[in-house]
């Protein structure tokens, strides 16, 4: 059975992420999307909120599960008997960063293979940080994120303006 992992902070999940998940799920028997806790980042959504938004955004993908983890990717891979990581790439800068990460993971876990999927052209300009910035300045994120994320962003915006 082929099992793969997609990792990220997903703060928030975008339509670009969902596109990668849909395509990745076709390559494996089981796909896990995991919110990794990054202590260097100040998240807009809690880990629990991100997990719930991911679950709602990916209900249509039958072989996908969502999880969260606070630790090393290689530890998660070992604990869950996963040996494939799938990462989306938007740009050459993404490739450089992700390639270096994949080499470090391969050094720590030689049985792990990383697969890179190129982002579909219509999603190249979308990033979680751009979505957060648009939201901060009350810009529209319609059609850039799943509907549940758009609603959650509006709720956060209203709560922060009170």
């Amino acid at each position: 059975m082929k099992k793969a992992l997609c990792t990220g902070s997903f703060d928030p999940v975008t339509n670009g992420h969902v596109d990668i998940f849909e395509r990745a799920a076709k390559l494996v028997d089981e796909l896990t999307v995991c919110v990794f806790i990054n202590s260097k980042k100040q998240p807009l959504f809690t880990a629990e909120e991100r997990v719930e938004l991911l679950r709602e955004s990916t209900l249509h993908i039958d072989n996908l599960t969502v999880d969260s983890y606070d630790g090393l990717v290689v530890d998660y891979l070992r604990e869950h008997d996963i040996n494939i990581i799938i990462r989306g790439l938007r740009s050459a800068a993404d490739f450089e960063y992700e390639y270096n990460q994949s080499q470090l993971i391969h050094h720590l876990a030689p049985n792990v293979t990383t697969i890179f999927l190129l982002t579909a052209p219509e999603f190249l300009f979308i990033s979680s940080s751009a979505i957060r910035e648009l939201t901060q300045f009350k810009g529209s994120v319609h059609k850039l994120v799943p509907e549940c994320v758009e609603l959650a962003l509006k709720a956060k915006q209203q709560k922060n303006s009170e």
Side-chain angles (χ1 to χ4, degrees):
M1 176 176 291
K2 289 184 194 168
K3 295 167 40 173
L5 177 68
C6 286
T7 64
S9 51
F10 307 114
D11 188 36
V13 62
T14 69
N15 287 340
H17 291 129
V18 174
D19 176 65
I20 293 289
F21 305 153
E22 290 168 347
R23 292 189 286 134
K26 293 176 184 174
L27 302 175
V28 296
D29 301 306
E30 292 180 19
L31 178 65
T32 301
V33 174
C34 191
V35 173
F36 271 75
I37 313 304
N38 186 338
S39 59
K40 294 178 185 174
K41 291 185 177 181
Q42 208 47 338
L44 177 63
F45 291 102
T46 67
E48 295 79 16
E49 289 171 324
R50 288 178 274 159
V51 165
E52 187 52 40
L53 290 169
L54 277 161
R55 284 187 178 132
E56 193 171 341
S57 300
T58 59
L59 281 172
H60 63 288
I61 307 172
D62 294 334
N63 62 334
L64 184 147
T65 58
V66 179
D67 201 359
S68 67
Y69 193 73
D70 188 5
L72 292 175
V73 171
V74 292
D75 291 338
Y76 187 91
L77 292 165
R78 285 186 190 115
E79 289 172 21
H80 294 86
D81 193 32
I82 299 172
N83 61 4
I84 299 170
I85 296 177
I86 300 178
R87 301 292 295 169
L89 299 176
R90 288 177 298 145
S91 67
D94 281 356
F95 174 76
E96 187 173 338
Y97 173 81
E98 294 295 346
Y99 180 77
N100 288 335
Q101 290 295 108
S102 74
Q103 292 304 299
L104 179 60
I105 290 167
H106 183 73
H107 174 77
L108 297 171
N111 66 320
V112 173
T113 298
T114 300
I115 297 172
F116 297 118
L117 294 180
L118 298 178
T119 300
E122 63 267 28
F123 302 120
L124 282 174
F125 65 95
I126 303 172
S127 68
S128 294
S129 55
I131 297 301
R132 289 191 308 273
E133 188 172 350
L134 276 170
T135 300
Q136 179 184 356
F137 293 102
K138 297 181 172 81
S140 174
V141 297
H142 187 64
K143 295 188 179 182
L144 303 178
V145 296
E147 185 178 357
C148 62
V149 174
E150 185 175 0
L151 294 172
L153 287 165
K154 286 179 182 175
K156 281 268 188 210
Q157 194 176 49
Q158 285 179 337
K159 185 178 178 186
N160 291 340
S161 64
E162 292 177 352

